[in-house]
Amino acid sequence: MLNVPSQAFPAPGSQQRVASQGRSKVPLKQGRSLMDWIRLTKSGKDFTGLKGGLIEVTEEELKKHNKKDDCWICIRGFVYNVSPYMEYHPGGEDELMRAAGADGTDLFNEVHRWVNYESMLKECLVGRMAVKPAVPKGMLPKSQVTDTLPREGPSSPSYDWFQTESSVTIVIYTKQKNINLDSVIVDLQDDSLRAEAVIKDHSYLIHIGLSHEVQENFSVRVIENVGKIEIVLQKKETVSWKCLGDPLEKHDSFIPKKDTGLYYRQCQLISKEDVTHDTRLFCLMLPPSTHLQVPVGQHVYLKLSVTGDFVSVSGPEGNFKVSKLQEVEDLFLLAAGTGFTPMVTVLNHALTHMSSLRKVKLMFFNKTEDDIIWRCQLEKLALKDKRFHVEYVLSAPSPEWNGKQGHVSRALLSEFLQRSLENSKVFLCICGPTPFTDEGIRLLHDLNFSDDEIHGFTA
């Protein structure tokens, strides 16, 4: 279940590629391509006027730089002078000016969250936004979270650590019940530990340069009923640690998940196989120094070099919660093209873990029969489990096609969305190109389904 936001995906002419054209690119002048920009950044030119130095930028200072020829933008706490990049930006100068002299993090996340802006704009880095820490940070054996949270946010977690002769255990107290293993992401890299706990819509981060070397294998344990997470590291040497290590960027922070940015780790490409004529299944292996599980209904982003055997994989993204499926009796899935992707784990969870489930139905929209992903497997599953039913709808079928035809419509949905019982509890998931999802949700509302009964996956 991997989402690949790259220039080569979706394929030209696919439904997703057509849909994405709603945010049009502007024609760039000759000599203003991405490769031209990369060459320019390697020229040694000073793009900031700071001669390679970095500064702390106050909000007042940031606001002063709001003109086209003097445009500073803050993204995830770092400030960039984007004036030199204006003519190279595919979205046009006006798009960048929307965030001139301000924090553009939300705008960036909305438009192209997956873009590696750190590399693209590294020569334009002015510095970091000036912030006042709640307490001085240092080489502390333990720490408590002191960030101020909005009132509606969950309680601030805290952490502690202890050691034996051969191991170091870090304990995160989330102060929330029902935390599970897919809420925890741990990466060990170059003797630094990065441990993220996703708590509701917030992210708690422990980021430490460890004071001593550890082995790459470690274990993660969650005690769900008390909301405690334990990360056990194995020492390389049987010495007593005086402290856990040095705090690194964003250590001990607790912020909304949408503001955390994407963190990638390199995974080895093990195999790839054809699924349809234009879709492939990639099998990736996480490094032994990483703990990562993709929750049901969520996705990851990929970055890769065309000739490489390694793929960089982000942490999980998405706002789907399994709790939405509690006590659901009829589950309806509406997918178009590769919008089927998040339905795989939802379908597996429903048939494996939902004791209340009577029926799960998938209506799968594609252009032609050749575009239907995993058709054979879906039909085998329908034969194996009588609760599951699948229907295909084609917009450009061959003359031999005897099934349903057309696009998402009220007539198709009203026939498809038949409850197993008159008052059974239902839930609907929909995913595909943006026009498909938007129209589908509008039609579901017309058919008197509420927002609480609908989840639209974002592409």
Side-chain angles (χ1 to χ4, degrees):
M1 195 192 78
L2 301 177
N3 209 359
V4 190
S6 70
Q7 292 181 346
F9 181 87
S14 73
Q15 291 175 305
Q16 274 90 339
R17 178 60 61 89
V18 172
S20 68
Q21 293 173 356
R23 184 177 64 84
S24 59
K25 295 184 179 181
V26 300
L28 298 175
K29 297 177 183 177
Q30 189 170 1
R32 297 296 186 272
S33 69
L34 174 60
M35 293 307 299
D36 292 315
W37 170 250
I38 293 173
R39 279 192 289 269
L40 182 62
T41 60
K42 296 181 183 297
S43 66
K45 184 176 180 180
D46 182 5
F47 289 99
T48 64
L50 301 176
K51 298 180 179 180
L54 298 176
I55 62 174
E56 283 197 339
V57 183
T58 63
E59 290 187 15
E60 293 74 19
E61 181 66 24
L62 179 63
K63 290 176 182 177
K64 297 176 184 177
H65 302 270
N66 60 0
K67 302 178 180 62
K68 178 182 173 182
D69 59 351
D70 182 22
C71 181
W72 289 9
I73 292 176
C74 174
I75 304 177
R76 297 172 185 161
F78 291 90
V79 179
Y80 300 87
N81 177 11
V82 298
S83 295
Y85 181 60
M86 285 281 182
E87 293 187 349
Y88 298 83
H89 184 234
E93 298 172 0
D94 291 343
E95 191 75 10
L96 285 177
M97 290 302 296
R98 290 172 61 189
D103 191 325
T105 302
D106 287 343
L107 179 62
F108 177 84
N109 288 343
E110 175 187 337
V111 177
H112 38 211
R113 180 180 174 88
W114 55 83
V115 171
N116 187 2
Y117 69 94
E118 298 101 327
S119 175
M120 190 175 298
L121 297 177
K122 64 181 179 181
E123 302 301 329
C124 301
L125 180 63
V126 174
R128 186 196 300 265
M129 286 298 294
V131 294
K132 294 181 180 179
V135 293
K137 302 279 185 177
M139 292 181 64
L140 302 177
K142 62 178 78 174
S143 176
Q144 303 293 323
V145 176
T146 55
D147 295 303
T148 301
L149 291 175
R151 290 182 181 178
E152 65 272 14
S155 299
S156 302
S158 61
Y159 82 93
D160 204 344
W161 71 281
F162 60 89
Q163 61 181 309
T164 66
E165 188 177 74
S166 60
S167 68
V168 171
T169 300
I170 299 163
V171 183
I172 300 174
Y173 304 96
T174 68
K175 304 177 185 177
Q176 301 287 328
K177 293 185 178 180
N178 300 321
I179 294 292
N180 48 45
L181 278 174
D182 61 17
S183 302
V184 186
I185 307 163
V186 182
D187 290 279
L188 267 177
Q189 187 173 9
D190 299 326
D191 293 318
S192 68
L193 172 74
R194 188 183 190 278
E196 181 181 5
V198 179
I199 303 167
K200 295 185 177 178
D201 296 324
H202 283 66
S203 170
Y204 176 62
L205 181 67
I206 292 177
H207 196 192
I208 290 179
L210 298 171
S211 61
H212 293 76
E213 291 185 345
V214 296
Q215 299 177 35
E216 65 178 11
N217 59 309
F218 59 88
S219 62
V220 180
R221 178 175 176 237
V222 172
I223 299 90
E224 295 186 22
N225 59 340
V226 295
K228 186 169 72 171
I229 300 167
E230 294 182 352
I231 303 166
V232 183
L233 310 176
Q234 301 300 323
K235 295 178 179 179
K236 275 195 174 179
E237 298 178 351
T238 56
V239 296
S240 178
W241 292 21
K242 294 181 179 180
C243 66
L244 188 57
D246 294 308
L248 299 176
E249 183 183 3
K250 296 182 181 179
H251 170 62
D252 209 8
S253 63
F254 188 47
I255 58 177
K257 186 71 170 71
K258 64 182 179 66
D259 297 331
T260 59
L262 296 176
Y263 180 84
Y264 289 84
R265 71 279 302 152
Q266 276 203 335
C267 300
Q268 187 173 1
L269 178 61
I270 301 300
S271 65
K272 55 185 177 181
E273 61 181 84
D274 291 334
V275 177
T276 69
H277 64 97
D278 63 356
T279 307
R280 282 185 171 181
L281 176 66
F282 289 78
C283 180
L284 305 174
M285 182 173 67
L286 286 168
S289 55
T290 291
H291 167 86
L292 184 153
Q293 297 178 359
V294 182
V296 173
Q298 296 192 19
H299 60 274
V300 296
Y301 292 115
L302 305 181
K303 293 193 300 186
L304 68 160
S305 59
V306 175
T307 58
D309 291 329
F310 288 86
V311 179
S312 296
V313 178
S314 77
E317 291 286 301
N319 59 359
F320 182 83
K321 304 295 182 185
V322 173
S323 57
K324 295 180 179 182
L325 301 178
Q326 286 181 356
E327 300 179 1
V328 166
E329 297 165 288
D330 294 331
L331 177 62
F332 298 101
L333 310 176
L334 303 172
T338 51
F340 170 68
T341 307
M343 305 303 179
V344 175
T345 52
V346 174
L347 181 59
N348 179 65
H349 175 83
L351 295 175
T352 306
H353 300 290
M354 290 174 58
S355 58
S356 60
L357 187 71
R358 290 197 182 96
K359 176 173 61 178
V360 54
K361 294 178 67 176
L362 167 67
M363 180 169 273
F364 198 177
F365 293 80
N366 285 280
K367 188 175 181 180
T368 69
E369 286 187 76
D370 290 338
D371 296 317
I372 300 174
I373 299 174
W374 282 333
R375 182 179 182 181
C376 181
Q377 290 91 331
L378 287 171
E379 291 172 358
K380 285 182 179 178
L381 180 60
L383 290 173
K384 180 181 178 181
D385 195 319
K386 298 304 180 184
R387 294 173 298 171
F388 175 60
H389 178 71
V390 59
E391 294 182 13
Y392 308 109
V393 183
L394 303 182
S395 59
S398 66
E400 294 78 22
W401 175 252
N402 295 318
K404 289 182 169 63
Q405 302 183 27
H407 300 275
V408 62
S409 66
R410 184 186 178 101
L412 281 172
L413 294 186
S414 59
E415 180 185 351
F416 176 70
L417 301 172
Q418 298 296 319
R419 300 173 188 248
S420 58
L421 294 175
E422 184 178 352
N423 295 316
S424 61
K425 184 176 179 181
V426 302
F427 194 76
L428 306 103
C429 298
I430 181 169
C431 187
T434 301
F436 168 84
T437 303
D438 291 346
E439 177 65 7
I441 291 175
R442 186 189 69 79
L443 291 170
L444 292 175
H445 285 149
D446 287 347
L447 291 168
N448 298 318
F449 292 98
S450 68
D451 286 333
D452 291 339
E453 296 174 319
I454 303 169
H455 181 84
F457 291 96
T458 55

